[in-house]
Amino acid sequence: MATESYEEAIAKLTNLLSDKADLEGIAAAKIKQITAELEATDSMPSDPVERIKSGFLHFKKQNFEQNPVLYGELAKTQKPKFMVFACSDSRVCPSHILNFQPGEAFMVRNIANMVPPYDKNKYSGAGAAIEYAVLHLKVENILVIGHSCCGGIKGLMNIPDDGTTASEFIEQWVQICSPAKAKIKTDHSELSFTEQCTNCEKEAVNVSLGNLLTYPFVKDAVGKKTLALKGAHYDFVNGTFKLWDLESKISLFLSE
Amino acid sequence: MAGTFRKCLMLCCTSKVSQKEDMATESYEEAIAKLTNLLSDKADLEGIAAAKIKQITAELEATDSMPSDPVERIKSGFLHFKKQNFEQNPVLYGELAKTQKPKFMVFACSDSRVCPSHILNFQPGEAFMVRNIANMVPPYDKNKYSGAGAAIEYAVLHLKVENILVIGHSCCGGIKGLMNIPDDGTTASEFIEQWVQICSPAKAKIKTDHSELSFTEQCTNCEKEAVNVSLGNLLTYPFVKDAVGKKTLALKGAHYDFVNGTFKLWDLESKISLFLSE
């Protein structure tokens, strides 16, 4: 079936170009681009062990051995200026979307890029990472990046009003950002479910930024202006990236 | 080639040094002088030296072009991605906009030097990633470890990944912290030492089996043994044990050594078979 669709698609394109010959140049360029892309994809091994091996070899030859100064320094220590919270989603790695190089960003990745509030019992993982980044690495910025089509946020928005959950962990985890859901349901009840999800992806980042301030060492560093908190949203459907901070909100919180 | 190289050095060395230049420039001139001195004895090494200087120069030029202001760094980083990657791969990003179908779930350390997108060249859509201190997988616990549980549940039951890979690495601060906890158990941190004690069984094994090794060597061994503890912890999740038993899911451990530039990969086939038959 897939091959029939391909021949049909080519036939339709050829048909279109027979009427609009001036579009041939553009069409040829785009076909060339697609061909190059598919060639590159095809060269990736499907066996997982081979995929891992070839991936590391590629890194070693094209990157590690080409940058002896960088890797010589990194072998001794890391001094990242950023701590980044990003979703575990395979499409949103900050090394790709922000071109972070080795040594630049200390990263935490979890479902829906959430920062839970201070809790030594329930959220020791997040606490450990933030403590290490702020007190030991002394990062200068914490960036929380939300993204489009986030399954975790959609899961949060889908939890029924009576609170019944179907998962063992997922819904419990994403309810860290319940305040964001409540805000969207209140302020944007007129929007479609999909639009509400998009808004919630961004509002959840704000909830996470607020949760960062429940860690005394974060609040302290922000107050001393040695640490800045930023929120962001990556939209991979439209290819856009929004960046913001909560300056005014932080000043308010710090004066409490 | 030799003549060009000598001329290049001459130009650098005869440039005036302002009084404001700091210690770093003095060390640089000293280093260049020592290299030149070495090459005056071993002229056959000049070609290699020139190539290496060229490589270092290119590297430093690239580094210098990265903005120091954080907002500018983020902006320029995204623009680079958008022009060099996103817009160059319309087929890929068209598909990814609809859905993700990663074959791998990867646990890697939060360390800025070990991102699997770099070290294994994973492309967007290939690997669902969890990154935390010392790449640890905690055991099943709805109260204490809901974050890890949520990610594993989503990857195995919803995305149906085929492999879970846990990658340890050299010079891991979290593992070092674990190894440094005194025998009486007193801790100085608010969270870190509590978190890394997930892999206390690894520390115990190393202290028992490798007490003769230096502390640094024990840490390296612990980095690898902790990966095994994490792989074992994965099996405490019924949906993981189930998928492994049905052979729809494979568990693998790895260790990335960025000092030596090596990558080890292994699985726990025999250990898993034993556990599943309990």
Side-chain angles (χ1 to χ4, degrees), chain A residues 201-220:
Chain A
E201 286 158 7
K202 296 168 188 166
E203 194 52 40
V205 167
N206 291 335
V207 171
S208 287
L209 292 175
N211 284 343
L212 277 169
L213 290 172
T214 64
Y215 296 80
F217 35 86
V218 173
K219 187 175 176 182
D220 188 59

Side-chain angles (χ1 to χ4, degrees), chain B residues 62-74:
Chain B
T63 318
D64 192 51
S65 64
M66 236 178 265
S68 60
D69 172 69
V71 174
E72 286 312 307
R73 174 63 191 86
I74 293 166

Side-chain angles (χ1 to χ4, degrees), chain A residues 33-34 37 44 48-49 51-52 55-56 58-60 64-70 74-75 77-78 80 82 88-91 93 95-109 111 118-125 127-129 131-132 136 141 143 149 151 167-170 172-173 215 217 230 234 236-237 239-241 243, chain B residues 55-56 59 66 70-71 73-74 77-78 80-82 86-92 96-97 99-100 102 104 110-113 115 117-131 133 140-147 149-151 153-154 158 163 165 171 173 189-192 194-195 237 239 252 256 258-259 261-263 265:
Chain A
Q33 189 179 43
I34 292 170
E37 221 191 306
M44 238 178 262
V49 173
R51 174 62 191 87
I52 293 166
F56 181 70
H58 182 277
F59 162 73
K60 183 152 186 196
F64 190 85
E65 289 172 352
Q66 302 298 322
N67 295 284
V69 175
L70 172 65
L74 293 181
T77 187
Q78 58 168 334
F82 294 89
S88 295
D89 192 300
S90 64
R91 301 167 283 189
C93 183
S95 299
H96 292 132
I97 71 175
L98 295 182
N99 196 34
F100 278 128
Q101 297 307 301
E104 283 202 271
F106 186 80
M107 275 192 233
V108 171
R109 292 186 69 185
I111 294 281
Y118 189 111
D119 190 317
K120 285 187 177 183
N121 190 40
K122 290 172 68 174
Y123 303 123
S124 58
E131 182 182 8
Y132 193 76
H136 295 258
N141 304 274
L143 172 63
C149 313
S167 61
E168 286 184 63
F169 290 96
I170 300 171
Q172 182 193 339
W173 169 259
Y215 296 80
F217 35 86
K230 293 178 172 20
Y234 167 50
F236 51 63
V237 179
T240 60
F241 190 90
L243 180 68
Chain B
Q55 190 181 43
I56 292 170
E59 222 191 305
M66 236 178 265
V71 174
R73 174 63 191 86
I74 293 166
F78 181 69
H80 182 275
F81 162 73
K82 183 151 186 195
F86 190 84
E87 288 172 354
Q88 303 298 322
N89 295 284
V91 174
L92 173 66
L96 293 182
T99 188
Q100 58 167 334
F104 294 90
S110 296
D111 192 300
S112 64
R113 301 166 285 189
C115 182
S117 299
H118 292 132
I119 72 175
L120 296 181
N121 196 34
F122 278 129
Q123 298 306 302
E126 283 202 272
F128 186 78
M129 274 191 235
V130 170
R131 293 186 67 185
I133 295 280
Y140 189 110
D141 190 319
K142 286 188 176 183
N143 190 40
K144 289 170 69 176
Y145 303 122
S146 56
E153 182 182 9
Y154 194 76
H158 295 258
N163 304 274
L165 173 63
C171 313
S189 60
E190 286 184 63
F191 290 97
I192 300 171
Q194 183 193 337
W195 170 259
Y237 296 79
F239 36 85
K252 294 177 171 24
Y256 166 50
F258 51 63
V259 178
T262 61
F263 190 89
L265 180 69

